[in-house]
Structure formats: C-alpha cells, structure tokens
Amino acid sequence: MDGELGERIRIQRLERRIANLELRVRELEDAAGVEPALAAGFAEDQPPQVAPSVLTPPPAPVRPAPVQAPAAAAWSNDVRAYAPAQSASAQAPIAGWNAGPVRAAASPASTQPVKPAAWLTTDAPSAPAEPSKPLFSFDLKDLEERFAGRAMAWIGGAALIGAAVFFLSLAFSRGWIGEELRVAIGLVAGTAALVGGAVMFDRKNPLIGNVLVAVGLGIVSIALFAATRGYGLVAPEFGLLGAFLAAVAAAVIAIRYDAKEVAAFGLLAALGAPPVMNASPNMLTLLFVAVTLVGTTAIALFRTWPYLPTLAFILAAPQLASYLGGGVGAVEGLIAVIGFWAVNVTAAAGEEWRIHRDQLKPTSATLVLANATFALWGGSTVLTGANHADLVGTFIGLLSIAHLLLGGWFLYRQGLHHLFGNLIAGTGLALVAIAAFVQLGAPVVPLAWAAEAAALAWLAVRRMHKWSALAALILGGLAVAHLLLVEYPLWMLRPNLDFPALPWLHAAGASVLSVVAAAGLAAVLVPVRWIRSALVGLAALLLEYAALFEVRGPSLAATLVLVALAAVVLERVVNARGTRPSLASIGAWVPSFPFAGVAAAVAGAHAVLFVAGGEFPLESALRGDAAAPSIPWLHPAGFSALFVLAGLGAGAALLPIRWIRSLLVAIAVVLAAYVSAFEVRGPWMTLSVT
C-alpha cells in the first residue's frame, strides 16, 4: 500500500512538472514569435496528438498549485497518513494544457483544506528581494575597477617612454648610436606607436589607443626637436612639415574613431612645434599655424568638440603676437590679424549655429571676447608700428561693424533674446565706443556714446530688449564719467578759474549739452515713470555742475534758477504720463521717488547759497566793510539776488504742494531781508526789512 501510494504521488509530481515545462516552452515560443504546435492533451496510455491548424489554440495553461491533502487525515509527514482518504479523483492524471491544478478530493467529514506536506510542494520558494543599492556609495572595489585600469595604462605608457628615453640616453652618451640614427629611431618608434594606437582603436580598445597615440606623438615631437634645434640636421621648416604630418595622422584617427583626446594631442603637437623647434616667426611659420587653425576649426565643427578652438587660440595667440611685434608690414600684419579673427569667430559662431540652444556656452563666449580683444590689440599694434596711427579708429570701426552684422544675423534668425547673438552685438557696440574714443578725440567721445545710448534705449523700448537697455545704461554711464573726468574734472574747479569767452559754445560745452539732450530723448522714449524722472534729474545735475565751469555771477544764478524750474516742470510732465502697465514691475520699489524734484531742490538750494554766501558774504557785513551801492539792486550781485528771488516765486506758483509753496515763500522773504542789509542804508533798510 505504501509503495502504491508513493508511486501515485510521484506520478502526480512528474505530471505537474511536465505541465510547468510545457507552460515555459509556450511562453518562450510566444516571446520568440514562433507558431506553437497545438497540444491535444495527454492521457496515461495515449500520446499527444497534433491538432489541425484550423483549430483554435487552447487557453494558456495555469501553473499547477500544490497538492492539498484530505481533511479527514491527520497531519503528518508520513505518506501512510493519506492512504485511507485517497480518492479516485485525486489519482486522475493531468489532461494536457487544459488540466487545472491537481487537488485531492475533500472528505465528507470536512471541507476545510489542509496544508500539504513540504515534500509535496512543487513550487520553488520565492527568492529574497535583492537589496537596493544606495544612490551614492563609496566602494573601494568600485573605484579600483573604474580607475585602476586607466591609471595603470597611463602609468605603463609613461614607464614605456621613460625606459625608452633612459636606454637611448645611455646609448647616445656612449656613442653607440649616431645623430642621424637617433632621429630615425625616434621617428620609426613614434610612427609605430601611432599605428599601434589606430589598431587598438579598431579593436575597440580606446584606452590603450589613446595612450599609444599620445606616446607616438610625444616621440615624434622629441625626434623632430632633436633633428632641428638639437643637432641641426634639417631646417626648422622641415621639422614643421613632419609635425604637420603627425598632426594630420592624429586628426584622421580622431575623426575615424571619434577620439577627442587624440585630437587634443595632435593639436598640442602641431601648434607647439614652432617654438619647440625654434622656428622664426616668418610668413611660412604663420602659414603653418593658419593651416593648423583652419583644420582644427573644421574638425571641431564636424565632431562638435567645442574645447578645441579655445585650446588652439591659447596655443596660437602668443606666436601670432610675437610675429606682429617684430616690425611686420601693415598689409601682412592686418591680413594675419583679420584671418586669425575670422577663423576663431567662425569656430565660436559655427558651434552656436549647429547647436540651437538658449544657454550661452562658456567656451564660445570666452573665445568671442578673447578673439575681439586680441584683434583690437593686434590691429592697433600693426598700424601704430607702421606709422598709420590715424587709421586705428577706422580699423576698430570696421571690426565693430563685422561684429554687429554677425550678431544681427543671429538675432534675426534666433530672436532678439538669443544670448550668443546679444554677446556678439554687445561686443560690436563696445568696439564702436572704443572707436569713437580713439578716432574722434576726447571732447566728442561723450557725444558719440550718448547718441549710441539713446539709439539703444529706443531699441530696448521698441522691441522690449533687456540687453539693449543694459548696453544703453553702460554707455550712458561712460559718457557721464567721461564728462566728470576729462571735460569738467572736479579738481580743476577753483576760484580763479578761466571761464570761456562764449559759454557753452565750445567742444566741452557741446559734449555736455549732447549728453543732456540724449538723456532728455531717452526720458521721452522710456515708458516708465521713475526712469524718466531719474533721467531728467541726471540732466539737471549735469547742467548745474557744468555751469560752475562755464558762467559766473548773475549768469550762474540765472542758469541755476532755470535748471531748477525746468526740473520742476518736467517732473510734473513725468507724473502726468505715468507708466506703461506691462512695465510696472520694473523697479517696483522706486515707482514714486521724485528724482527730478530732488534735482530741482538741489539746484535751487545751490542758487540761494550762491547769493547768500558768494555774492553777499555774511563776514563782510559783520566786519562793516560792505558799502551800499549807489543804485540798490542794479549791479551784478543785485541781479543775482533778483534772479533767485524771482525763481523762488515762480517755483511757489508752479508747485502744487502747499507746504512746499509756503517754504519757498519763507525762503524768499528771508533772502530778500538778508540782501537788503547790503543794498540799502538808514530808513530804507528798515523799510526793506519790514
């Protein structure tokens, strides 16, 4: 009995395993897209039959569940405990794909399932869940796997070079190898290393390939140095040819296998060759550098390697500077400067043209600024050295036009807020400002800068272009600073200042008036109240300051009064126009500050102090040496007082605020009483004071 029951259980287990295998085969066939054979089912004495293709495939089999023991039997791991309750239905074999899980028949005494014995369970226990790895972990083994191979490769390459150098130095010092053979050995070894690097790249081993290419280029450079500068076997020009061929080989490897490190090695070997081989800075050397730069730019644009042009600029700029500083002719020097500028600006602009992005790449931005600076220095140096200093401003102006055209093209294609286009255009505007400074002369510089600032303010308002607004602010600040440092320096203001015969009608006067006019034009254009008020206030303060150098006496008093009254009127106009609603967020913390009103108050106070302290000094009255004029008020100092009193009255009439009007009237009364003490004597003085 025991043997029969055990045999049946083993048969059931085998049948379940076969069903599981069929299930897995079906899943694999479905995943592979293979048409499975339709099983007709299995019986104990009947082999499986293949159903016709027209039949509908049976449903997917269900994974058999573990056998459940009858409820009437007591729980035991002994198979004999199940013998009395074993029914015929429990002994039935599984019927192929349509067979469900095998279950034992329930006992009449109980329908509750009983947990099967562990050895009857065919399902494998579920594997424990793999613990999740932390996002950031420090594992010495992982670091070793990542960096040990690379580090060992580089260390091996360095050791290889060191061993070769040691052996060759020993052989050279003992005279075993002659000079020509030494160079030949170096060239052959370097070429072999280059070929080996290409082979490693072709075999999908870029690490060793990079090392071998770097070693090969280094050996070739050393051999060419020995052949030219060391032993003098060949001219430096032939050494440059060899370096150029090695660089071409490195470029071919870099392009074929997309190896930017190899491109950097080749660039270093090529552009470092002229100073290493002591090649004189002549036209041939310059042509070598130019060809290398053009090739580097082409490779960088083809493979989108933005760092290559910057590296090329760093290596080539000192060599070109040495060439330009050696007394080169104007035509050759300008061709070199313009060509160098064109190659670098093409590299920077080509990268931005190929990759349309809203962010400004540091490599392209740095290259544009450094390139413009070098071109500015190079052109000025060449023209000044060739006795054409009068053309420096023209050269800078043409350079600025080139930048403006390129920047305008980017802004037209990419939009006014494209950062690289704004960078190029801003560089052009800066060059325009420098050209005005160099070419037009000091007094005309503020005029040019102010006109440029006004044009940029118009563009900022017209197109809502924030970078134009920033450039206008910078240029306007430069114009004001130039006035305060060159045309009207504060340290030149003294009591015995020489005033011009015709105030304002000279170069410095025209400069300050042009800056004031540009500020007024910008105030008309800008639709923000506080900015208009600030511009009006700035113009008023500039006129007040310049008046100290232009006029004196009654003319100064009248100028200060007119400036104050004009600022008061313009402040009311500014408040009446308001701010465009779309720009209300600009400077929201200063929307109602009266800049023009403050400038008017400063000019008025200056006028009052000028009369009370300059025209009618108090210490003179206290000493008793102030003689009354024969005709009161009808002399220069009296005219100054009358102008100021009239201005106080006009200000009280124009201003709408009551307490300010009362204050101005009180100041006018006190000033009139004070001046009367100098103008009249006796009863007339008492009457005037009253």
Side-chain angles (χ1 to χ4, degrees):
M1 193 62 155
D2 294 343
E4 181 180 358
L5 178 60
E7 185 69 18
R8 291 176 180 175
I9 293 175
R10 284 193 293 272
I11 291 174
Q12 292 176 358
R13 294 181 62 185
L14 289 174
E15 290 174 344
R16 281 192 290 272
R17 291 184 179 180
I18 292 173
N20 289 336
L21 290 175
E22 291 173 343
L23 174 62
R24 294 179 182 178
V25 170
R26 178 64 178 272
E27 292 176 351
L28 293 175
E29 289 175 345
D30 292 340
V34 180
E35 181 71 17
L38 301 178
F42 295 95
E44 291 184 352
D45 300 328
Q46 181 180 358
Q49 300 295 328
V50 178
S53 59
V54 296
L55 297 179
T56 304
V62 181
R63 188 183 183 92
V67 176
Q68 295 181 352
W75 180 259
S76 174
N77 288 333
D78 191 353
V79 71
R80 289 173 295 181
Y82 294 90
Q86 193 74 20
S87 63
S89 63
Q91 303 172 12
I94 299 175
W97 290 107
N98 293 327
V102 178
R103 299 180 183 274
S107 173
S110 174
T111 60
Q112 298 295 329
V114 180
K115 182 177 181 181
W119 61 274
L120 293 176
T121 304
T122 60
D123 290 340
S126 59
E130 184 179 356
S132 60
K133 296 183 179 180
L135 184 60
F136 299 100
S137 62
F138 181 79
D139 191 356
L140 293 178
K141 184 178 180 181
D142 182 62
L143 291 177
E144 180 181 359
E145 291 177 354
R146 291 188 179 185
F147 301 110
R150 184 181 296 270
M152 291 303 295
W154 285 105
I155 292 174
L160 181 62
I161 295 178
V165 171
F166 177 76
F167 170 75
L168 292 176
S169 63
L170 180 63
F172 297 161
S173 62
R174 298 190 177 183
W176 299 343
I177 301 175
E179 296 177 351
E180 294 82 359
L181 188 57
R182 298 174 191 177
V183 174
I185 290 175
L187 293 177
V188 171
T191 304
L194 284 174
V195 174
V199 172
M200 289 296 104
F201 275 111
D202 194 57
R203 294 182 178 180
K204 309 301 181 183
N205 194 346
L207 178 61
I208 304 300
N210 281 318
V211 173
L212 288 178
V213 171
V215 170
L217 290 173
I219 294 176
V220 169
S221 299
I222 294 174
L224 293 175
F225 168 77
T228 55
R229 193 170 183 176
Y231 303 138
L233 299 178
V234 296
E237 289 75 11
F238 291 98
L240 293 180
L241 178 60
F244 179 75
L245 294 178
V248 170
V252 171
I253 296 174
I255 295 175
R256 177 176 176 81
Y257 301 106
D258 195 15
K260 56 184 178 180
E261 293 85 1
V262 173
F265 297 151
L267 182 62
L268 288 172
L271 291 181
V276 168
M277 299 177 189
N278 199 21
S280 59
N282 51 25
M283 185 60 67
L284 182 61
T285 305
L286 186 64
L287 181 62
F288 170 80
V289 174
V291 172
T292 306
L293 285 176
V294 172
T296 301
T297 302
I299 295 172
L301 295 179
F302 177 73
R303 281 295 185 182
T304 318
W305 294 336
Y307 72 94
L308 276 184
T310 304
L311 180 62
F313 179 87
I314 295 174
L315 295 173
Q319 302 181 48
L320 182 57
S322 175
Y323 173 75
L324 298 177
V328 65
V331 177
E332 296 85 353
L334 288 179
I335 291 175
V337 171
I338 295 173
F340 186 72
W341 172 85
V343 169
N344 287 289
V345 80
T346 301
E351 176 191 354
E352 295 292 335
W353 176 71
R354 287 195 61 187
I355 305 175
H356 301 286
R357 53 194 172 201
D358 296 331
Q359 297 180 351
L360 187 62
K361 192 73 174 178
T363 52
S364 58
T366 305
L367 185 60
V368 165
L369 297 177
N371 188 40
T373 304
F374 185 86
L376 178 64
W377 171 85
S380 303
T381 301
V382 170
L383 292 174
T384 303
N387 298 323
H388 294 293
D390 54 330
L391 298 178
V392 173
T394 304
F395 170 79
I396 300 174
L398 295 175
L399 188 64
S400 66
I401 292 174
H403 280 84
L404 289 174
L405 291 176
L406 182 60
W409 183 81
F410 270 99
L411 295 177
Y412 175 76
R413 290 181 58 89
Q414 308 293 341
L416 291 179
H417 296 283
H418 188 252
L419 293 180
F420 183 78
N422 281 281
L423 176 66
I424 293 284
T427 306
L429 292 175
L431 291 173
V432 169
I434 296 173
F437 181 82
V438 172
Q439 191 71 20
L440 300 179
V444 192
V445 170
L447 188 151
W449 288 353
E452 191 176 356
L456 290 172
W458 174 83
L459 179 61
V461 174
R462 182 77 175 177
R463 297 293 184 180
M464 299 297 295
H465 193 230
K466 60 182 180 180
W467 302 112
S468 296
L470 178 61
L473 179 63
I474 294 174
L475 286 172
L478 289 175
V480 173
H482 196 279
L483 288 175
L484 300 180
L485 296 176
V486 179
E487 281 76 21
Y488 299 101
L490 184 61
W491 56 86
M492 296 295 294
L493 188 60
R494 57 185 186 275
N496 57 347
L497 179 67
D498 296 331
F499 293 93
L502 296 175
W504 311 104
L505 299 179
H506 53 90
S511 296
V512 69
L513 291 178
S514 64
V515 173
V516 170
L521 178 60
V524 173
L525 294 173
V526 178
V528 181
R529 177 183 298 173
W530 73 268
I531 297 179
R532 290 198 301 264
S533 179
L535 290 172
V536 171
L538 175 65
L541 292 177
L542 279 178
L543 282 176
E544 178 187 355
Y545 175 73
L548 299 176
F549 294 83
E550 297 289 338
V551 292
R552 54 184 171 182
S555 299
L556 178 59
T559 301
L560 295 176
V561 169
L562 291 176
V563 168
L565 293 177
V568 169
V569 173
L570 292 176
E571 178 68 24
R572 297 192 63 178
V573 173
V574 166
N575 292 331
R577 291 188 60 187
T579 301
R580 183 184 298 176
S582 60
L583 301 177
S585 60
I586 299 178
W589 56 280
V590 287
S592 59
F593 189 81
F595 292 99
V598 171
V602 171
H606 189 182
V608 171
L609 293 176
F610 170 71
V611 172
E615 298 294 307
F616 299 96
L618 180 60
E619 60 272 13
S620 178
L622 294 177
R623 289 196 305 266
D625 55 356
S630 56
I631 301 177
W633 307 100
L634 298 180
H635 56 93
F639 287 136
S640 298
L642 291 176
F643 288 148
V644 174
L645 291 173
L648 291 172
L654 291 173
L655 290 172
I657 303 176
R658 178 177 299 177
W659 70 269
I660 296 181
R661 293 202 303 266
S662 301
L663 179 62
L664 292 179
V665 171
I667 293 174
V669 170
V670 172
L671 182 62
Y674 176 77
V675 174
S676 298
F678 292 85
E679 293 293 321
V680 295
R681 292 289 185 270
W684 292 104
M685 183 178 69
T686 305
L687 181 61
S688 299
V689 173
T690 303

